[in-house]
Amino acid sequence: MPTIDDLELRPGHRVLLRADLNVPLRTAPDGTRVVADSFRIDAALSTIARLLEAGAEVVVCSHLGRPKGVDSAFDMEPVRAVIADHFPEVEVLENLRFDPREEANDPGFAAELAAGFDVYVNDAFGVSHRRHASIVGVPPLLPSAGGITLLEEVKNLTLLLEAPARPYVAVLGGAKVSDKLGLLNALVRQVDTLLVGGGMCFTFLAARGVEVGDSLVEEQMIDQCQHLLDTGKVVLPLDIMGLATGDSFGEGERTGEPQRFGLGVPAGYRGLDVGAATVERFGEILVDARSILWNGPMGVFEDPRFRQGTDGVAAAIGRSEAYSVVGGGDSVAALHQAGLAKNVSHLSTGGGATLEYLEHGDLVGLAALRHSREP
Ligand code: 3PG
Ligand code: MG
């Protein structure tokens, strides 16, 4: 993979930097949109600094959210303000996804992006699984390199892929088995133990014949879960926290009394988090691990009644001495909130990209850099 040093930058060189500045926003009391968590912007700063030190002129481009066309709720202004605090001389282009040609990987759009630049740097690991113009369309047009954060991501994830210290334990959460089936199949081959929580655990529990009440189950995935269980590597929750089916949970209205269920969730109830016995069991397994991968919350953790599983996993990983990699916005946010982010070996800036890299060992955006235009 070509690095910034391979670009032999000279003062005045114009660099197009693709970063993943897709950060969560919030509305300030005065009504302006501001960055709620600058983790991904911070991750791009070292590459910007390196380029500026070489005397280059830097123009940064990114997407923000998933707008359908031009939409002021997704303009780059809040991100631009944070970048300007660090580097007032750096220009930030408008949201790439305001133009439908970005996601269509339109060659004309790639040519417009590349025009007037001497080199291209991709530091956007989190979006390097997308076949978009700014990721795969530009490298054939300009001498290109991976940025510091992107290379760091690849280095850390390659460690897990190629030579993980064992036991290697993965903790997987999130709502759906169907979203992560490819990853699940790849992971059971790589890891020694796979701890499953989050919404997806109910399809696994159903496959094992455990009652799940009205919990989220993907019927069409039960056979797949059965195959995964047959490997003997999957550990499921021992207890579940939930609510009566009519009650509400999440970020809005919250009703009902949380209940704890031992083996199985009865009819009329749905599971929304793992329980204390599960946290303890998962913790015991994580203590013995020498490599850990965590992606996805264990429950509906935006509702404080159902965040003990996610917090418990965060705490166990925080205590662990294993080589640990955590990816995905929710898991990373949980670690930050618990003040444990510094205890993790590698906090990935990617969600989907991290999982795709672990599944396939490569991403379209990385391949594009390896086949970029000769200097
Ligand atoms: C992310 O947030 O996962 C990346 O920025 C990619 O965004 P996307 O999933 O909308 O392509
Ligand atoms: Mg995503």
Side-chain angles (χ1 to χ4, degrees), residues 20 22 40 63 65-66 97 126-127 129-130 132 351-352:
D20 182 359
N22 182 26
R40 279 179 164 166
H63 71 289
R66 292 176 175 173
R97 292 186 184 172
V127 68
H129 59 317
R130 303 280 186 225
H132 294 173

Short mmCIF file of all heavy atoms in Angstrom, two decimals, residues 20 22 40 63 65-66 97 126-127 129-130 132 351-352, ligand 1:
data_model
loop_
_atom_site.label_atom_id
_atom_site.label_comp_id
_atom_site.label_asym_id
_atom_site.label_seq_id
_atom_site.Cartn_x
_atom_site.Cartn_y
_atom_site.Cartn_z
N ASP A 20 -12.99 10.37 6.40
CA ASP A 20 -14.34 9.98 6.83
C ASP A 20 -14.71 10.91 7.98
O ASP A 20 -14.42 10.63 9.14
CB ASP A 20 -14.36 8.51 7.27
CG ASP A 20 -15.76 8.07 7.68
OD1 ASP A 20 -16.68 8.93 7.64
OD2 ASP A 20 -15.92 6.90 8.05
N ASN A 22 -17.72 11.68 8.76
CA ASN A 22 -19.14 11.39 9.00
C ASN A 22 -19.33 11.22 10.51
O ASN A 22 -19.22 10.12 11.04
CB ASN A 22 -19.50 10.10 8.25
CG ASN A 22 -20.96 9.75 8.40
OD1 ASN A 22 -21.80 10.63 8.63
ND2 ASN A 22 -21.26 8.47 8.29
N ARG A 40 -13.87 10.94 14.75
CA ARG A 40 -13.39 10.72 13.38
C ARG A 40 -12.65 11.93 12.81
O ARG A 40 -11.75 11.76 11.99
CB ARG A 40 -14.56 10.36 12.46
CG ARG A 40 -14.94 8.90 12.57
CD ARG A 40 -16.11 8.63 11.68
NE ARG A 40 -16.28 7.20 11.46
CZ ARG A 40 -17.38 6.68 10.94
NH1 ARG A 40 -18.39 7.46 10.61
NH2 ARG A 40 -17.48 5.38 10.75
N HIS A 63 -18.15 12.60 3.01
CA HIS A 63 -19.61 12.59 3.07
C HIS A 63 -20.00 12.87 4.50
O HIS A 63 -19.16 12.81 5.42
CB HIS A 63 -20.17 11.23 2.62
CG HIS A 63 -19.91 10.14 3.60
ND1 HIS A 63 -18.64 9.61 3.81
CD2 HIS A 63 -20.73 9.48 4.46
CE1 HIS A 63 -18.71 8.66 4.73
NE2 HIS A 63 -19.96 8.56 5.15
N GLY A 65 -23.48 11.74 6.73
CA GLY A 65 -24.82 11.15 6.74
C GLY A 65 -25.19 10.54 5.41
O GLY A 65 -24.34 10.23 4.58
N ARG A 66 -26.50 10.37 5.23
CA ARG A 66 -26.99 9.76 3.99
C ARG A 66 -28.06 10.64 3.36
O ARG A 66 -29.23 10.25 3.25
CB ARG A 66 -27.55 8.36 4.28
CG ARG A 66 -26.47 7.39 4.68
CD ARG A 66 -27.03 6.04 5.07
NE ARG A 66 -25.93 5.10 5.34
CZ ARG A 66 -26.11 3.89 5.84
NH1 ARG A 66 -27.33 3.46 6.12
NH2 ARG A 66 -25.07 3.10 6.04
N ARG A 97 -22.00 13.54 -0.93
CA ARG A 97 -23.25 12.84 -1.27
C ARG A 97 -24.37 13.80 -1.67
O ARG A 97 -25.47 13.34 -1.97
CB ARG A 97 -23.68 11.93 -0.13
CG ARG A 97 -22.75 10.76 0.04
CD ARG A 97 -23.22 9.76 1.08
NE ARG A 97 -22.21 8.71 1.25
CZ ARG A 97 -22.26 7.78 2.18
NH1 ARG A 97 -23.27 7.77 3.05
NH2 ARG A 97 -21.31 6.87 2.26
N GLY A 126 -13.20 4.21 7.20
CA GLY A 126 -14.60 3.87 7.51
C GLY A 126 -15.52 3.80 6.31
O GLY A 126 -16.63 3.27 6.42
N VAL A 127 -15.08 4.32 5.16
CA VAL A 127 -15.95 4.30 3.98
C VAL A 127 -15.24 3.60 2.81
O VAL A 127 -15.72 3.59 1.69
CB VAL A 127 -16.45 5.73 3.67
CG1 VAL A 127 -15.34 6.63 3.21
CG2 VAL A 127 -17.61 5.75 2.70
N HIS A 129 -15.06 0.61 2.16
CA HIS A 129 -15.78 -0.56 1.62
C HIS A 129 -16.82 -0.13 0.60
O HIS A 129 -17.53 -0.96 0.05
CB HIS A 129 -16.43 -1.36 2.75
CG HIS A 129 -17.41 -0.58 3.59
ND1 HIS A 129 -17.17 0.71 4.02
CD2 HIS A 129 -18.63 -0.91 4.09
CE1 HIS A 129 -18.19 1.13 4.75
NE2 HIS A 129 -19.09 0.17 4.80
N ARG A 130 -16.95 1.18 0.37
CA ARG A 130 -17.96 1.68 -0.56
C ARG A 130 -17.33 1.94 -1.93
O ARG A 130 -16.31 2.63 -2.01
CB ARG A 130 -18.56 2.99 -0.03
CG ARG A 130 -19.17 2.89 1.35
CD ARG A 130 -20.55 2.29 1.29
NE ARG A 130 -21.21 2.32 2.59
CZ ARG A 130 -21.88 1.28 3.10
NH1 ARG A 130 -21.95 0.15 2.44
NH2 ARG A 130 -22.48 1.38 4.27
N HIS A 132 -17.51 4.09 -4.17
CA HIS A 132 -17.95 5.44 -4.50
C HIS A 132 -16.83 6.18 -5.23
O HIS A 132 -15.66 5.81 -5.13
CB HIS A 132 -18.35 6.19 -3.22
CG HIS A 132 -19.56 5.62 -2.55
ND1 HIS A 132 -20.02 6.03 -1.32
CD2 HIS A 132 -20.44 4.64 -2.96
CE1 HIS A 132 -21.11 5.34 -1.00
NE2 HIS A 132 -21.38 4.49 -1.97
N GLY A 351 -17.10 1.10 11.02
CA GLY A 351 -18.13 0.19 11.49
C GLY A 351 -18.21 -0.93 10.47
O GLY A 351 -17.50 -1.92 10.55
N GLY A 352 -19.03 -0.69 9.46
CA GLY A 352 -19.18 -1.66 8.37
C GLY A 352 -17.85 -1.99 7.70
O GLY A 352 -17.59 -3.15 7.35
C1 3PG B 1 -19.93 4.99 8.51
O1 3PG B 1 -20.44 5.82 9.25
O2 3PG B 1 -20.01 3.77 8.70
C2 3PG B 1 -19.10 5.48 7.36
O3 3PG B 1 -18.92 6.87 7.41
C3 3PG B 1 -19.75 5.07 6.06
O4 3PG B 1 -21.03 5.64 5.99
P1 3PG B 1 -22.16 4.86 5.19
O5 3PG B 1 -22.45 3.61 5.95
O6 3PG B 1 -23.32 5.81 5.12
O7 3PG B 1 -21.60 4.55 3.81
#
